[in-house]
Amino acid sequence: MNVNIKSSIAIVLLLISTYSCKKGEYVNPFSEFVDIYFDADKTALRDNGAGVFIAAKYNGKPIEWDINQKRIRVVPGEAKFEFYDTRNGKVVAEKDIDVQPGSPNRYTLFQPTMDAPVAFIDPNGQAAESPAPLGHIKVKVANYAQYLIPFEKLDLRVSISYYDADWNEVIKEVGVIKDIKNSIDQATYHILPDGLPSPLPDLPCNYLFEFIDGNTGKALLNHGGTNYSNMAFSPASIDPIPVKNIFTLYMVSRETWGEAPPFIKKDEAYYEIATNILFAD
């Protein structure tokens, strides 16, 4: 068989491969992949101190999910994504998506505690909220750490902590947030002075929470017998740095490495109250 005949056969086979039996219907033998992003950082299955217990399926089959980069790579078209607990295989969330190149393809999952359901939330959930007044912060807080907080009504005493020019730590109260709710859906925004010194110190300023019984005024105590407090958030450490100074936070219980005076003892184990940032703008 000479070269010309071989070339002719190759061209015919190529034409056959690019057209289906149905006249005029084009079939692309090469698939373009699309990146779709699922952010699970705000799920207890991802962030619990013990391991990553969430994985993904694509159209019923397990698929590689770069949980740090938040990326799954698939082909364009209608797709079903399922997220499951790796410890028992139980599906905890699912979403049908028409995956197309050029579309945002970004989704955020939220699960404050291990026993809470996993939900999809809008990552721009507070984008429409008006900025905090100049010299103030605007804060919404939900309490999912009821296991450690025995109060019927919870208030938060908010302080700012920073180091002055002589490297002395300064802690200054900026206000109290009263009647903290037990879910993000019930929580409301509160406006407090930001308490920032002038000039600003070299190191970031941190906001601290103390936990107050709203009925008695008594503070939650740590294992050492003093007022328990935690480092709630540090605006300058958030990327990108918030410009509207609006923060939505949620608090959870977190078991610690062992006994120490700053921790909370509960049922023969030791814990801290971790404050997580849901939104920062």
Side-chain angles (χ1 to χ4, degrees):
M1 185 180 291
N2 61 37
V3 174
N4 289 334
I5 294 175
K6 289 181 179 179
S7 299
S8 298
I9 292 173
I11 292 171
V12 171
L13 291 174
L14 179 61
L15 290 173
I16 291 172
S17 69
T18 54
Y19 286 88
S20 70
C21 294
K22 184 177 179 181
K23 184 178 179 180
E25 183 179 351
Y26 176 72
V27 177
N28 185 354
F30 302 100
S31 295
E32 177 184 1
F33 287 95
V34 178
D35 290 333
I36 185 166
Y37 295 86
F38 292 98
D39 183 350
D41 287 354
K42 298 174 178 67
T43 66
L45 286 168
R46 165 75 171 92
D47 180 23
N48 55 68
V52 178
F53 303 127
I54 189 168
K57 291 181 181 180
Y58 167 64
N59 291 335
K61 303 290 186 182
I63 190 169
E64 182 179 352
W65 177 19
D66 186 333
I67 203 161
N68 294 315
Q69 297 296 322
K70 307 168 179 41
R71 182 180 64 198
I72 297 176
R73 180 160 287 181
V74 298
V75 296
E78 295 284 347
K80 180 171 187 161
F81 294 90
E82 296 172 290
F83 301 88
Y84 62 96
D85 187 331
T86 58
R87 298 169 301 172
N88 54 28
K90 179 183 177 182
V91 173
V92 294
E94 58 184 54
K95 198 167 190 66
D96 294 322
I97 301 172
D98 183 10
V99 182
Q100 296 298 332
S103 58
N105 290 333
R106 292 183 180 272
Y107 302 89
T108 300
L109 297 91
F110 178 55
Q111 181 203 28
T113 63
M114 281 291 203
D115 56 355
V118 178
F120 287 93
I121 61 169
D122 181 358
N124 300 309
Q126 65 177 22
E129 191 68 25
S130 59
L134 185 64
H136 291 74
I137 56 176
K138 196 171 184 178
V139 184
K140 178 193 288 189
V141 188
N143 175 29
Y144 294 95
Q146 298 99 319
Y147 174 67
L148 299 180
I149 303 172
F151 306 146
E152 179 183 11
K153 182 181 177 183
L154 172 64
D155 297 341
L156 290 179
R157 182 182 294 139
V158 184
S159 299
I160 189 168
S161 168
Y162 58 89
Y163 287 88
D164 63 18
D166 297 320
W167 296 100
N168 297 309
E169 184 180 18
V170 178
I171 298 178
K172 180 173 63 175
E173 183 177 335
V174 298
V176 175
I177 303 176
K178 291 185 173 295
D179 196 16
I180 299 297
K181 303 302 182 183
N182 292 339
S183 74
I184 288 292
D185 293 340
Q186 297 175 335
T188 57
Y189 289 101
H190 299 263
I191 296 175
L192 299 172
D194 62 24
L196 295 174
S198 181
L200 288 175
D202 293 332
L203 295 177
C205 298
N206 302 318
Y207 289 96
L208 312 177
F209 286 165
E210 288 182 87
F211 303 81
I212 309 299
D213 185 332
N215 291 326
T216 68
K218 294 183 178 180
L220 179 68
L221 301 181
N222 59 29
H223 182 53
T226 61
N227 288 7
Y228 176 82
S229 67
N230 73 351
M231 201 288 281
F233 65 108
S234 178
S237 301
I238 300 171
D239 185 21
I241 294 177
V243 295
K244 297 183 356 180
N245 285 325
I246 310 174
F247 307 91
T248 296
L249 314 171
Y250 63 100
M251 303 181 301
V252 298
S253 306
R254 182 73 50 81
E255 189 169 354
T256 62
W257 51 264
E259 181 178 359
F263 299 148
I264 299 170
K265 184 179 181 181
K266 183 81 172 184
D267 298 332
E268 305 307 317
Y270 295 87
Y271 297 86
E272 63 183 352
I273 299 173
T275 301
N276 298 320
I277 297 171
L278 185 59
F279 303 123
D281 291 288

Coordinates of all heavy atoms in Angstrom, one line a residue, residues 87-144:
R87 N -15.8 8.6 57.4 CA -15.9 7.6 58.5 C -17.0 6.6 58.4 O -16.9 5.4 58.8 CB -16.0 8.3 59.9 CG -14.8 9.2 60.2 CD -15.1 10.1 61.4 NE -16.3 10.9 61.1 CZ -16.9 11.7 62.1 NH1 -16.4 11.7 63.3 NH2 -18.0 12.4 61.8
N88 N -18.1 7.0 57.7 CA -19.2 6.0 57.6 C -19.8 6.0 56.2 O -20.7 5.3 55.9 CB -20.3 6.4 58.6 CG -20.7 7.8 58.6 OD1 -20.6 8.5 57.5 ND2 -21.1 8.4 59.7
G89 N -19.3 6.9 55.3 CA -19.8 6.9 53.9 C -21.1 7.7 53.7 O -21.6 7.8 52.6
K90 N -21.6 8.3 54.8 CA -22.9 9.0 54.7 C -22.8 10.3 53.9 O -21.8 11.1 54.2 CB -23.4 9.3 56.1 CG -24.7 10.1 56.2 CD -25.1 10.4 57.6 CE -26.4 11.2 57.6 NZ -26.8 11.6 59.0
V91 N -23.7 10.5 53.0 CA -23.7 11.7 52.2 C -24.2 12.9 53.1 O -25.3 12.8 53.7 CB -24.6 11.6 50.9 CG1 -24.7 13.0 50.2 CG2 -23.9 10.6 50.0
V92 N -23.4 14.0 53.2 CA -23.8 15.1 54.1 C -24.3 16.3 53.3 O -24.9 17.2 53.9 CB -22.7 15.4 55.0 CG1 -22.3 14.3 56.0 CG2 -21.4 15.8 54.2
A93 N -24.0 16.3 52.0 CA -24.5 17.5 51.2 C -24.3 17.1 49.8 O -23.5 16.2 49.4 CB -23.6 18.7 51.5
E94 N -25.2 17.6 48.9 CA -25.1 17.4 47.5 C -25.6 18.6 46.7 O -26.4 19.4 47.2 CB -26.0 16.1 47.1 CG -27.4 16.2 47.5 CD -28.2 14.9 47.2 OE1 -27.7 13.8 47.6 OE2 -29.2 15.0 46.5
K95 N -25.1 18.7 45.5 CA -25.5 19.8 44.6 C -25.4 19.4 43.2 O -24.4 18.8 42.7 CB -24.6 21.0 44.9 CG -25.1 22.3 44.4 CD -24.3 23.5 45.0 CE -25.0 24.8 44.8 NZ -26.3 25.0 45.4
D96 N -26.5 19.8 42.4 CA -26.5 19.6 41.0 C -26.0 20.9 40.3 O -26.6 22.0 40.6 CB -27.9 19.2 40.5 CG -28.3 17.8 41.0 OD1 -27.5 16.9 41.1 OD2 -29.5 17.7 41.3
I97 N -25.0 20.8 39.4 CA -24.5 22.0 38.8 C -24.2 21.8 37.3 O -23.8 20.7 36.9 CB -23.1 22.3 39.5 CG1 -23.3 22.6 41.0 CG2 -22.5 23.6 38.8 CD1 -22.0 22.7 41.7
D98 N -24.6 22.7 36.5 CA -24.2 22.7 35.1 C -22.9 23.4 35.0 O -22.8 24.6 35.0 CB -25.3 23.5 34.3 CG -25.0 23.5 32.8 OD1 -24.1 22.7 32.4 OD2 -25.7 24.2 32.0
V99 N -21.8 22.6 34.9 CA -20.5 23.1 34.9 C -20.1 23.6 33.5 O -20.2 22.8 32.6 CB -19.5 22.0 35.4 CG1 -18.1 22.5 35.4 CG2 -19.9 21.4 36.7
Q100 N -19.7 24.8 33.4 CA -19.4 25.4 32.2 C -18.1 26.3 32.3 O -17.9 26.9 33.3 CB -20.5 26.3 31.6 CG -21.8 25.6 31.3 CD -21.6 24.5 30.2 OE1 -20.8 24.6 29.4 NE2 -22.4 23.5 30.3
P101 N -17.3 26.3 31.3 CA -16.1 27.1 31.3 C -16.4 28.6 31.4 O -17.4 29.0 30.9 CB -15.4 26.9 29.9 CG -16.0 25.6 29.5 CD -17.4 25.5 30.0
G102 N -15.7 29.3 32.2 CA -15.9 30.7 32.3 C -16.9 31.2 33.4 O -17.0 32.3 33.8
S103 N -17.7 30.2 33.9 CA -18.6 30.6 35.0 C -17.8 30.5 36.3 O -16.8 29.9 36.4 CB -19.8 29.6 35.0 OG -19.3 28.3 35.2
P104 N -18.4 31.2 37.4 CA -17.6 31.3 38.6 C -17.2 30.0 39.3 O -16.1 29.8 39.7 CB -18.6 32.1 39.5 CG -19.5 32.8 38.6 CD -19.6 32.0 37.4
N105 N -18.2 29.0 39.3 CA -17.9 27.7 39.7 C -17.2 27.7 41.1 O -16.2 26.9 41.3 CB -17.0 26.9 38.7 CG -17.8 26.6 37.5 OD1 -19.0 26.4 37.5 ND2 -17.1 26.5 36.4
R106 N -17.7 28.5 42.0 CA -17.1 28.5 43.4 C -18.3 28.4 44.4 O -19.3 29.1 44.3 CB -16.4 29.8 43.6 CG -15.1 29.9 42.8 CD -14.3 31.1 43.1 NE -13.1 31.2 42.3 CZ -11.9 30.6 42.6 NH1 -11.8 30.0 43.8 NH2 -10.9 30.7 41.8
Y107 N -18.1 27.5 45.4 CA -19.1 27.2 46.4 C -18.5 27.0 47.7 O -17.3 26.6 47.8 CB -19.9 25.9 46.0 CG -20.5 26.1 44.6 CD1 -19.8 25.7 43.4 CD2 -21.8 26.6 44.5 CE1 -20.4 25.8 42.2 CE2 -22.4 26.7 43.2 CZ -21.7 26.4 42.1 OH -22.3 26.5 40.8
T108 N -19.2 27.4 48.8 CA -18.7 27.3 50.1 C -19.7 26.5 51.0 O -20.9 26.7 50.9 CB -18.6 28.7 50.7 OG1 -17.7 29.5 50.0 CG2 -18.1 28.7 52.2
L109 N -19.1 25.5 51.7 CA -19.9 24.7 52.6 C -19.7 25.2 54.1 O -18.6 25.6 54.4 CB -19.4 23.2 52.5 CG -19.7 22.5 51.1 CD1 -18.4 22.7 50.3 CD2 -19.9 21.1 51.3
F110 N -20.7 25.0 54.9 CA -20.7 25.5 56.3 C -21.3 24.4 57.2 O -22.3 23.9 56.9 CB -21.5 26.8 56.4 CG -21.5 27.3 57.9 CD1 -20.3 27.5 58.6 CD2 -22.7 27.5 58.5 CE1 -20.4 27.9 59.9 CE2 -22.8 28.0 59.8 CZ -21.6 28.2 60.5
Q111 N -20.5 24.1 58.2 CA -20.9 23.1 59.2 C -20.2 23.5 60.5 O -19.0 23.1 60.7 CB -20.6 21.7 58.8 CG -21.0 20.6 59.8 CD -20.2 19.3 59.7 OE1 -19.0 19.3 59.3 NE2 -20.8 18.2 60.0
P112 N -20.9 24.1 61.5 CA -20.1 24.6 62.6 C -19.7 23.5 63.6 O -18.6 23.7 64.2 CB -21.2 25.6 63.3 CG -22.5 25.1 62.8 CD -22.3 24.6 61.4
T113 N -20.5 22.5 63.7 CA -20.1 21.4 64.6 C -20.3 20.0 63.9 O -21.0 19.9 62.9 CB -21.0 21.4 65.9 OG1 -22.3 21.2 65.5 CG2 -20.8 22.7 66.6
M114 N -19.7 19.0 64.5 CA -19.8 17.7 63.9 C -21.2 17.1 63.7 O -21.5 16.4 62.8 CB -19.0 16.7 64.7 CG -17.5 16.7 64.4 SD -17.0 16.2 62.8 CE -15.3 15.8 63.0
D115 N -22.1 17.5 64.7 CA -23.4 17.0 64.6 C -24.4 17.9 63.9 O -25.6 17.7 63.8 CB -24.0 16.7 66.0 CG -23.9 17.9 66.9 OD1 -23.4 19.0 66.5 OD2 -24.4 17.8 68.1
A116 N -23.9 19.0 63.3 CA -24.7 19.9 62.5 C -24.7 19.5 61.1 O -23.8 18.9 60.6 CB -24.1 21.4 62.6
P117 N -25.8 19.8 60.4 CA -25.9 19.5 58.9 C -24.9 20.4 58.2 O -24.5 21.4 58.6 CB -27.3 19.8 58.5 CG -27.7 20.8 59.6 CD -27.0 20.5 60.8
V118 N -24.5 19.9 57.0 CA -23.6 20.7 56.1 C -24.5 21.4 55.1 O -25.4 20.8 54.5 CB -22.6 19.7 55.3 CG1 -21.8 20.6 54.4 CG2 -21.7 19.0 56.3
A119 N -24.3 22.7 55.0 CA -25.1 23.5 54.1 C -24.2 24.3 53.2 O -23.0 24.6 53.5 CB -25.9 24.5 54.9
F120 N -24.8 24.7 52.0 CA -24.1 25.6 51.1 C -24.5 27.0 51.5 O -25.6 27.3 51.7 CB -24.5 25.3 49.6 CG -23.8 24.0 49.1 CD1 -24.5 22.8 49.2 CD2 -22.6 24.0 48.6 CE1 -24.0 21.7 48.7 CE2 -22.0 22.9 48.1 CZ -22.7 21.7 48.1
I121 N -23.5 27.9 51.6 CA -23.7 29.3 51.9 C -23.1 30.2 50.9 O -22.2 29.8 50.1 CB -23.2 29.7 53.3 CG1 -21.7 29.5 53.3 CG2 -23.9 28.8 54.4 CD1 -21.0 30.1 54.6
D122 N -23.7 31.4 50.8 CA -23.1 32.4 49.9 C -21.8 33.0 50.4 O -21.9 33.6 51.5 CB -24.2 33.5 49.7 CG -23.7 34.6 48.7 OD1 -22.6 34.5 48.2 OD2 -24.5 35.5 48.5
P123 N -20.7 32.8 49.8 CA -19.4 33.3 50.3 C -19.4 34.8 50.4 O -18.6 35.4 51.1 CB -18.4 32.8 49.3 CG -19.1 32.5 48.1 CD -20.5 32.1 48.5
N124 N -20.4 35.5 49.7 CA -20.5 37.0 49.8 C -21.7 37.3 50.6 O -22.4 38.3 50.4 CB -20.6 37.5 48.4 CG -19.4 37.2 47.5 OD1 -18.3 37.4 48.0 ND2 -19.6 36.7 46.4
G125 N -22.0 36.5 51.7 CA -23.2 36.7 52.4 C -23.4 38.0 53.1 O -24.5 38.3 53.5
Q126 N -22.3 38.8 53.4 CA -22.5 40.1 54.0 C -22.0 41.2 53.1 O -21.8 42.3 53.6 CB -21.8 40.1 55.4 CG -20.3 40.0 55.4 CD -19.7 40.1 56.8 OE1 -20.4 39.9 57.8 NE2 -18.5 40.5 56.8
A127 N -21.9 40.9 51.8 CA -21.3 41.9 50.9 C -22.2 43.2 50.9 O -21.7 44.3 50.6 CB -21.1 41.3 49.5
A128 N -23.5 43.0 51.0 CA -24.5 44.1 50.9 C -24.6 44.9 52.2 O -25.2 46.0 52.3 CB -25.8 43.6 50.5
E129 N -23.9 44.5 53.3 CA -24.0 45.1 54.6 C -23.2 46.4 54.5 O -22.1 46.5 54.0 CB -23.4 44.2 55.7 CG -23.7 44.7 57.1 CD -25.2 44.6 57.5 OE1 -25.9 43.8 56.9 OE2 -25.6 45.3 58.4
S130 N -23.8 47.5 55.1 CA -23.1 48.8 55.1 C -21.9 48.8 56.0 O -21.8 48.0 57.0 CB -24.1 49.9 55.6 OG -24.5 49.6 56.9
P131 N -20.8 49.5 55.7 CA -19.6 49.5 56.5 C -19.8 49.9 57.9 O -20.8 50.7 58.2 CB -18.7 50.5 55.7 CG -19.3 50.6 54.4 CD -20.7 50.4 54.5
A132 N -18.9 49.6 58.8 CA -18.9 50.1 60.1 C -18.6 51.6 60.1 O -17.8 52.0 59.3 CB -17.9 49.3 61.0
P133 N -19.1 52.3 61.0 CA -18.7 53.8 61.1 C -17.2 53.9 61.3 O -16.6 53.0 61.9 CB -19.5 54.3 62.3 CG -20.7 53.3 62.5 CD -20.1 52.0 62.1
L134 N -16.7 55.0 60.9 CA -15.3 55.3 61.1 C -14.9 55.1 62.6 O -15.5 55.6 63.5 CB -14.9 56.7 60.6 CG -13.5 57.1 60.6 CD1 -12.7 56.2 59.6 CD2 -13.3 58.6 60.3
G135 N -13.8 54.4 62.8 CA -13.3 54.2 64.2 C -14.1 53.1 64.9 O -13.9 52.9 66.1
H136 N -14.9 52.2 64.2 CA -15.7 51.2 64.8 C -15.5 49.9 64.1 O -15.0 49.8 62.9 CB -17.1 51.6 64.9 CG -17.4 52.7 65.8 ND1 -17.1 54.0 65.5 CD2 -18.0 52.8 67.0 CE1 -17.5 54.8 66.5 NE2 -18.1 54.1 67.4
I137 N -16.0 48.8 64.7 CA -16.1 47.5 64.0 C -17.5 47.1 64.1 O -18.3 47.5 65.1 CB -15.2 46.4 64.6 CG1 -15.4 46.3 66.2 CG2 -13.7 46.7 64.3 CD1 -14.6 45.2 66.8
K138 N -17.9 46.3 63.2 CA -19.3 45.7 63.2 C -19.2 44.2 63.2 O -18.6 43.6 62.4 CB -20.0 46.2 61.8 CG -21.5 46.1 61.8 CD -21.9 46.8 60.5 CE -23.4 46.9 60.4 NZ -23.9 47.6 59.2
V139 N -19.8 43.7 64.3 CA -19.6 42.3 64.6 C -20.9 41.5 64.8 O -21.8 42.0 65.5 CB -18.7 42.1 65.8 CG1 -18.3 40.6 66.1 CG2 -17.4 42.9 65.7
K140 N -20.9 40.3 64.2 CA -22.0 39.4 64.4 C -21.4 38.1 65.0 O -20.4 37.6 64.4 CB -22.8 39.1 63.1 CG -23.9 38.1 63.3 CD -24.4 37.6 62.0 CE -25.3 38.6 61.3 NZ -25.9 38.0 60.0
V141 N -21.9 37.5 66.1 CA -21.3 36.4 66.7 C -22.4 35.3 67.0 O -23.5 35.7 67.5 CB -20.6 36.7 68.0 CG1 -19.8 35.5 68.5 CG2 -19.7 37.9 67.8
A142 N -22.1 34.1 66.7 CA -23.0 33.0 67.0 C -22.3 32.0 67.9 O -21.1 31.7 67.7 CB -23.5 32.3 65.8
N143 N -23.0 31.5 68.9 CA -22.4 30.6 69.9 C -22.8 29.1 69.6 O -23.9 28.7 69.9 CB -22.8 31.0 71.3 CG -22.3 30.0 72.4 OD1 -21.3 29.4 72.2 ND2 -23.1 29.8 73.4
Y144 N -21.8 28.3 69.1 CA -22.0 26.9 68.9 C -21.2 26.1 69.9 O -20.9 24.9 69.8 CB -21.6 26.5 67.5 CG -22.5 27.0 66.4 CD1 -22.1 28.2 65.7 CD2 -23.7 26.4 66.1 CE1 -22.9 28.7 64.7 CE2 -24.5 26.9 65.0 CZ -24.1 28.1 64.4 OH -24.9 28.6 63.4

